[in-house]
């Protein structure tokens, strides 16, 4: 396995058959592209379960038959045919079947574009996507195309695969935004204004952002801004800012030797204790524990299940 990857597998019981293909991204691809580390297709029986404390990248899991369960951090979700799960493997996670089989197509992906789309999709808090038939077919088709591309890689594999990954994840982002807008009674123009504010927060989260600054941008009162933002995104404004900051902190913990206090300051927290509390709420462990797990975890090759 590549040295930039790490994992800690606590339990693997695979009941079923399948195929999986693996790829080691080049340094250039890691810096610039949406990457695929592995992709596969599985027919699971009724006794499959996989449990890890962490792994590299994100997992996209498309259920085309049957039902599954999923645990991410401290939360448990039920998955059924027609749903897609997208979650960060950097936190404790588990998935499996219970009382019935399932069929899944999956991809383990990563890279800066994936992290940005993950934040935009609000998948940290809501990793399960209930899609209409057209979007589900588009995501399923994208994963099938990715699997086909990995079976017969060509010289331009990385940009081709990166484009497929970006397109299928963008479909999930667009679906989540439509879902938020459809659940809001606000006019479409107000939804667009909130989306503009979300983009601004994502781009400037590590800077000092005040509620007054955002109210001036939107030309709304503090009350109406807070209410509309929460209705459309599912987050309060402070929650969303902190989620974006934690996402950046995780990158710095993995990629630099900066201390936790230094990272807290870099991502916009003046109090390192408050930073550690916010990090724990989002990720499920302290920043120090997160870094230790990424540095010390042993590498475990995977077989025919999502890795």
């Amino acid at each position: 396995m590549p040295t930039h990857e790490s994992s800690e597998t606590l339990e693997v019981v695979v009941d079923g058959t399948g195929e999986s293909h693996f790829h080691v991204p080049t340094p250039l691809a890691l810096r610039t592209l949406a990457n695929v580390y592995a992709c596969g297709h599985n027919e699971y029986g009724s006794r499959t379960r996989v449990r890890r404390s962490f792994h590299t990248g994100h997992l996209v899991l498309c259920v085309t038959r049957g039902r599954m369960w999923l645990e991410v951090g401290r939360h448990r979700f039920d998955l059924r045919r027609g749903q897609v799960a997208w979650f960060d493997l950097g936190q404790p996670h588990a998935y499996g079947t219970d009382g019935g089989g399932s069929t899944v197509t999956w991809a383990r992906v990563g890279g800066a574009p994936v992290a940005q789309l993950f934040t935009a999709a609000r998948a940290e808090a809501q990793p399960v996507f209930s899609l209409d038939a057209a979007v589900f077919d588009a995501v399923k088709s994208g994963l099938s195309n990715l699997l086909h591309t990995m079976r017969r890689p060509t010289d331009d594999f990385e940009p081709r695969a990166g484009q497929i990954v970006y397109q299928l994840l963008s479909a999930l982002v667009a679906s989540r935004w439509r879902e938020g807008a459809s659940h809001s009674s606000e006019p479409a123009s107000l939804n667009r204004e909130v989306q503009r504010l979300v983009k601004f927060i994502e781009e400037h989260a590590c800077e000092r952002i005040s509620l007054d600054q955002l109210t001036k941008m939107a030309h709304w009162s503090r009350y109406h801004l807070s209410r509309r933002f929460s209705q459309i995104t599912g987050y309060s404004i402070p929650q969303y800012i902190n989620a974006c900051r934690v996402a950046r902190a995780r990158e710095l913990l993995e990629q630099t030797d900066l201390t936790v206090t230094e990272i807290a300051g870099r991502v916009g927290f003046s109090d390192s204790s408050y930073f550690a509390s916010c990090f724990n709420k989002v990720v499920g462990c302290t920043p120090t524990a997160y870094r230790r797990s990424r540095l010390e975890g042993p590498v475990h090759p995977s077989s025919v299940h999502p890795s």
Side-chain angles (χ1 to χ4, degrees), residues 4-5 23 25-26 28-39 55-60 86-90 107-118 146 158 161-166 168-169 251 254-255 294 307:
H4 67 269
E5 292 196 50
H23 173 69
T26 62
L28 178 62
L30 286 170
R31 292 194 302 269
T32 60
L33 298 174
N35 295 289
V36 57
Y37 297 104
C39 186
H55 202 1
T56 301
H58 293 190
L59 185 64
V60 179
W86 176 12
F87 59 98
D88 189 337
L89 293 166
R108 183 161 62 86
V109 298
V114 171
Q116 293 166 0
L117 290 169
F118 187 76
L146 187 61
E158 288 188 327
Q163 183 178 23
I164 295 171
V165 170
Y166 193 89
L168 73 88
L169 295 183
E251 294 177 1
E254 294 177 19
Q255 300 170 9
R294 304 294 285 193
S307 60

Side-chain angles (χ1 to χ4, degrees), residues 106-135:
W106 55 271
R108 183 161 62 86
V109 298
V114 171
Q116 293 166 0
L117 290 169
F118 187 76
T119 300
R122 305 189 297 279
E124 187 85 52
Q126 303 174 60
V128 177
F129 294 74
S130 298
L131 308 172
D132 62 40
V135 178

Side-chain angles (χ1 to χ4, degrees), residues 23 29 33-34 36 146 149-150 152-164:
H23 173 69
L33 298 174
V36 57
L146 187 61
T149 301
M150 293 193 75
R152 299 175 177 83
T154 57
D155 290 341
D156 61 346
F157 168 78
E158 288 188 327
R160 288 178 60 206
Q163 183 178 23
I164 295 171

Side-chain angles (χ1 to χ4, degrees), residues 131-257:
L131 308 172
D132 62 40
V135 178
F136 179 77
D137 286 345
V139 173
K140 181 174 68 172
S141 176
L143 289 169
S144 296
N145 289 340
L146 187 61
L147 182 58
H148 178 76
T149 301
M150 293 193 75
R151 288 185 185 122
R152 299 175 177 83
T154 57
D155 290 341
D156 61 346
F157 168 78
E158 288 188 327
R160 288 178 60 206
Q163 183 178 23
I164 295 171
V165 170
Y166 193 89
Q167 288 176 344
L168 73 88
L169 295 183
S170 294
L172 294 176
V173 173
S175 175
R176 180 57 53 81
W177 278 110
R178 286 194 298 270
E179 175 185 315
S182 66
H183 292 166
S184 171
S185 59
E186 304 287 1
S189 59
L190 299 186
N191 294 332
R192 288 194 296 271
E193 188 62 35
V194 169
Q195 292 177 27
R196 186 172 74 89
L197 294 175
V198 165
K199 186 174 187 295
F200 176 83
I201 290 172
E202 290 172 355
E203 293 175 349
H204 301 278
C206 297
E207 305 167 16
R208 183 181 296 275
I209 299 177
S210 69
L211 190 57
D212 287 339
Q213 180 183 7
L214 297 176
T215 58
K216 290 178 181 178
M217 289 178 59
H219 305 289
W220 295 337
S221 70
R222 291 166 64 97
Y223 169 77
H224 284 96
L225 171 62
S226 298
R227 181 175 66 85
R228 288 165 178 165
F229 192 95
S230 178
Q231 285 178 335
I232 293 173
T233 68
Y235 285 90
S236 70
I237 291 173
Q239 284 175 334
Y240 197 74
I241 292 173
N242 286 341
C244 293
R245 289 174 172 175
V246 167
R248 175 56 180 154
R250 291 172 67 167
E251 294 177 1
L252 294 176
L253 286 166
E254 294 177 19
Q255 300 170 9
T256 75
D257 295 323

Side-chain angles (χ1 to χ4, degrees), residues 75-118:
H75 304 285
R76 184 179 175 103
F77 307 88
D78 291 322
L79 290 170
R80 64 180 186 274
R81 180 183 179 277
Q83 290 184 319
V84 173
W86 176 12
F87 59 98
D88 189 337
L89 293 166
Q91 57 186 315
H93 59 275
Y95 50 86
T97 57
D98 188 8
S102 66
T103 302
V104 300
T105 305
W106 55 271
R108 183 161 62 86
V109 298
V114 171
Q116 293 166 0
L117 290 169
F118 187 76

Side-chain angles (χ1 to χ4, degrees), residues 260-283:
V260 170
T261 299
E262 289 171 331
I263 290 174
R266 290 268 185 113
V267 300
F269 290 94
S270 58
D271 183 335
S272 59
S273 296
Y274 179 60
F275 162 63
S277 175
C278 291
F279 191 95
N280 190 40
K281 286 180 181 178
V282 173
V283 180

